[in-house]
């Protein structure tokens, strides 16, 4: 059997296996047939791509999540704490105020689990 024919048969088997295991869910469609993706989309999340150094596990408890979220809130509020008057040369002059930053208000939840990073593999949650 030729290699091309084998590849076509293999692709067909993969497609059939996927179709057989798919649920009956169908996305809503627009009048002209495209999927309806209307709505408000955001990438605002306190969960970073990489896991924070002080966190060892992927899944966090609700209490751990509250502590991280409150700490990040305090950090964002401190960004706006610029001293009154002239700034001293050579010292930190700050950057954008918190108005321009939108990390969201919560950590990401995936399958009901509060996540400490978007990276799940490798297990340490860091970029390889």
């Amino acid at each position: 059997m030729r290699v091309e024919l084998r590849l076509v048969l293999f692709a067909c088997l993969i497609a059939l296996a996927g179709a057989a295991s798919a649920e009956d869910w169908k996305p809503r469609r627009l009048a002209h047939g495209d999927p309806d993706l209307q709505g408000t989309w955001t990438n605002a999340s306190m969960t970073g791509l990489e896991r924070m150094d002080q966190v060892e596990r992927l899944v966090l408890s609700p209490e751990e999540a509250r502590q991280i979220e409150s700490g990040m809130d305090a950090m964002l509020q401190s960004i706006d704490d610029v001293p009154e008057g002239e700034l001293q040369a050579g010292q930190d002059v700050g950057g954008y105020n918190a108005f321009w930053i939108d990390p969201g208000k919560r950590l990401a939840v995936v399958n009901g689990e509060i996540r400490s990073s978007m990276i799940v593999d490798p297990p340490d949650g860091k970029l390889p």
Side-chain angles (χ1 to χ4, degrees):
M1 192 180 287
R2 292 187 351 205
V3 173
E4 293 87 13
L5 183 58
R6 286 182 184 173
L7 289 174
V8 169
L9 287 174
F10 181 71
C12 289
L13 287 173
I14 295 285
L16 288 174
S21 65
E23 295 181 25
D24 292 334
W25 179 83
K26 301 268 192 246
R28 293 186 321 197
R29 300 274 175 181
L30 297 172
H32 57 279
D34 288 343
D36 184 358
L37 301 176
Q38 299 179 86
T40 302
W41 292 74
T42 181
N43 64 348
S45 173
M46 287 186 167
T47 303
L49 177 65
E50 288 190 302
R51 191 159 312 136
M52 295 172 267
D53 291 333
Q54 64 271 24
V55 178
E56 294 181 9
R57 296 178 290 115
L58 173 64
V59 179
L60 300 171
S61 70
E63 179 58 35
E64 291 169 319
R66 276 191 290 279
Q67 289 175 349
I68 291 171
E69 290 164 354
S70 65
M72 292 182 89
D73 274 341
M75 185 270 305
L76 282 174
Q77 290 175 4
S78 73
I79 289 174
D80 291 334
D81 293 338
V82 179
E84 295 287 331
E86 294 290 319
L87 297 173
Q88 298 295 318
Q91 292 188 3
D92 184 11
V93 297
Y96 287 115
N97 59 20
F99 175 83
W100 301 103
I101 303 171
D102 184 13
K105 298 288 183 195
R106 302 272 181 262
L107 293 167
V109 177
V110 178
N111 293 331
E113 299 173 333
I114 304 169
R115 297 292 177 94
S116 61
S117 65
M118 297 293 179
I119 294 178
V120 297
D121 188 27
D124 68 354
K126 302 286 185 186
L127 287 169

